[in-house]
Amino acid sequence: MFKTKQDQTQVSEIPVPTVRPRRLRLNANLRRMVQETELNPSDFIYPLFIRHGNNIQQPISSMPGQFQWSIDRLKAEIPSIVALGIPAVILFGIPETKDACGSDNYNPDGIILRAIRAIKDIAPDLVVISDMCFCEYTDHGHCGIINTPDNEHYTNNLPHGYLLNDPTLELLGRASVVHAQAGADIIAPSGMVDGMVGVIRAALDANQFQHVTIMSYAAKYSSGFYGPFREAAESPPQFGDRSQYQMNPANIREALKEVALDVAEGADVLMVKPALPYLDVLKEVRRTFNLPTAAYQVSGEYAMLHAAASNGWLDLERCALESLISIKRAGADMIVTYFAKDAVGWLEKRH
Ligand code: PBG
């Protein structure tokens, strides 16, 4: 085909770009030089599920590569985390027996407290974060005490099955002190119970744990992406769901209100959860509050990438690192991620 005169005129009128951003993408070294965000091992917090029993490394089927560990098996697992330069773990306990008030969470011989002590023995400098919630420890699978007539806290005017806020606060304060006594460096309340940060701060301070940090799950949404976690932690709610205390995914103003309350109550680190579907919330929290901000890339985010990769539909390494850098770019100073160990390996390989 030849060009008509008219066509030629049009072509010559296309302006030549004077700014060419592509110049800085020419080769790998140039791209590295202008890279704005970088992932480092120190960005990651690695979650661990600890169960009772001996010599157990039980695979979690919906989370390939993740396990429930018995305490004795931590002797090998913890040093492997430390060796990668990962600075912190966050712990979830799966108790042998559950009850209405989740007493295994504050019984000094409970699974999680034994795990904290064991990890601190193995690696005193590894930062141990305790997820502070009751859902793994209660027989009904909710994050605190439930309003039922057989309960000493039963409150006539509140709905049957309602999560009793203030009695739960008392237990959160008590359990946090026991976790601190066991050696937890950071308490991470995750139940979205009103007033949880203030009560935990007061309980810690009253027991000479002023140095223990609070990382609040400040904006935690009622999310379908927690699905695989509930298998991992054996903690699905036995009735209803968590939308009476976790947040509606449609809301961001409410997230800022929740975060502001936690800041006022003394939170040291703020967390947004889940991560990738809530990057707008993460960005806003990071910009609005002058505190370190964490994001939790949750079980479903991990499972999704693995599922697609195992079908050959996505490249796991590439997409996992892309998700993580997006979370960091949006404002996360630290990321709780099941990919922590893999990501460090992938990053090392690239250098
Ligand atoms: C406990 C808790 C949950 C998660 C972290 N802490 C479950 C929930 O709130 O339902 C989810 C983590 C994940 O999905 O990876 N309250």
Side-chain angles (χ1 to χ4, degrees):
M1 254 194 37
F2 63 92
K3 289 173 176 153
T4 65
K5 215 171 184 176
Q6 201 191 357
D7 282 339
Q8 279 172 1
T9 319
Q10 278 180 349
V11 167
S12 70
E13 274 177 3
I14 291 177
V16 172
T18 51
V19 181
R20 294 181 186 270
R22 287 188 53 199
R23 278 189 202 117
L24 298 177
R25 298 177 202 141
L26 190 63
N27 67 38
N29 272 334
L30 254 174
R31 290 194 291 272
R32 272 175 63 208
M33 289 166 72
V34 298
Q35 177 158 334
E36 298 172 26
T37 312
E38 250 174 285
L39 290 169
N40 298 300
S42 59
D43 296 328
F44 303 132
I45 297 168
Y46 190 54
L48 285 174
F49 299 97
I50 320 286
R51 66 170 306 127
H52 54 89
N54 269 316
N55 199 21
I56 295 170
Q57 181 182 348
Q58 168 86 27
I60 300 164
S61 63
S62 53
M63 300 172 70
Q66 304 303 311
F67 304 90
Q68 294 178 342
W69 301 90
S70 56
I71 290 176
D72 57 323
R73 292 292 290 266
L74 295 174
K75 275 199 197 74
E77 179 60 6
I78 293 296
S80 81
I81 296 165
V82 173
L84 288 168
I86 296 168
V89 290
I90 186 164
L91 305 183
F92 300 97
I94 301 132
E96 191 160 16
T97 53
K98 306 191 182 207
D99 58 24
C101 55
S103 59
D104 207 75
N105 195 24
Y106 50 86
N107 168 0
D109 283 328
I111 184 70
I112 195 68
L113 297 146
R114 285 193 287 130
I116 296 168
R117 289 193 295 268
I119 293 171
K120 278 289 165 188
D121 273 349
I122 300 166
D125 292 336
L126 182 67
V127 174
V128 170
I129 307 174
S130 264
D131 182 84
M132 178 47 65
C133 194
F134 283 95
C135 59
E136 296 121 73
Y137 306 98
T138 51
D139 48 15
H140 45 70
H142 279 284
C143 301
I145 295 179
I146 292 294
N147 201 29
T148 50
D150 57 356
N151 188 315
E152 55 169 313
H153 301 285
Y154 182 64
T155 312
N156 224 350
N157 288 340
L158 286 171
H160 195 264
Y162 190 74
L163 186 114
L164 290 169
N165 200 87
D166 302 4
T168 300
L169 286 178
E170 203 184 307
L171 282 188
L172 283 170
R174 181 165 154 193
S176 296
V177 171
V178 181
H179 284 230
Q181 281 163 344
D185 300 288
I186 301 184
I187 305 293
S190 70
M192 292 300 281
V193 177
D194 293 337
M196 63 185 186
V197 172
V199 162
I200 291 173
R201 184 72 273 156
L204 290 173
D205 290 356
N207 288 276
Q208 297 175 353
F209 291 113
Q210 63 188 16
H211 60 294
V212 171
T213 292
I214 297 180
M215 173 194 273
S216 178
Y217 287 67
K220 176 172 176 180
Y221 286 87
S222 177
S223 172
F225 290 102
Y226 306 149
F229 176 94
R230 291 175 185 172
E231 178 206 334
E234 301 180 11
S235 65
Q238 298 303 307
F239 64 90
D241 61 20
R242 297 192 174 138
S243 44
Q244 277 192 344
Y245 37 102
Q246 298 179 349
M247 283 183 44
N248 179 347
N251 293 357
I252 183 165
R253 290 196 302 270
E254 188 188 1
L256 296 176
K257 172 178 164 184
E258 280 282 4
V259 175
L261 284 168
D262 286 3
V263 172
E265 289 173 27
D268 302 291
V269 181
L270 305 168
M271 178 134 73
V272 173
K273 178 184 171 191
L276 208 62
Y278 296 88
L279 291 188
D280 57 331
V281 180
L282 177 60
K283 183 176 174 191
E284 207 58 33
V285 168
R286 183 68 191 80
R287 276 200 331 185
T288 310
F289 302 94
N290 204 9
L291 284 180
T293 304
Y296 198 136
Q297 183 188 47
V298 300
S299 57
E301 298 179 67
Y302 178 84
M304 248 178 351
L305 288 171
H306 266 282
S310 74
N311 275 301
W313 297 337
L314 286 180
D315 177 331
L316 184 68
E317 171 178 338
R318 188 169 173 190
C319 293
L321 288 177
E322 187 176 331
S323 299
L324 290 168
I325 208 148
S326 300
I327 294 164
K328 187 157 183 197
R329 191 194 63 234
D333 300 296
M334 52 195 107
I335 307 172
V336 182
T337 175
Y338 303 98
F339 283 116
K341 292 175 77 179
D342 291 334
V344 174
W346 293 329
L347 292 169
E348 275 171 2
K349 204 175 66 184
R350 292 185 168 200
H351 282 135

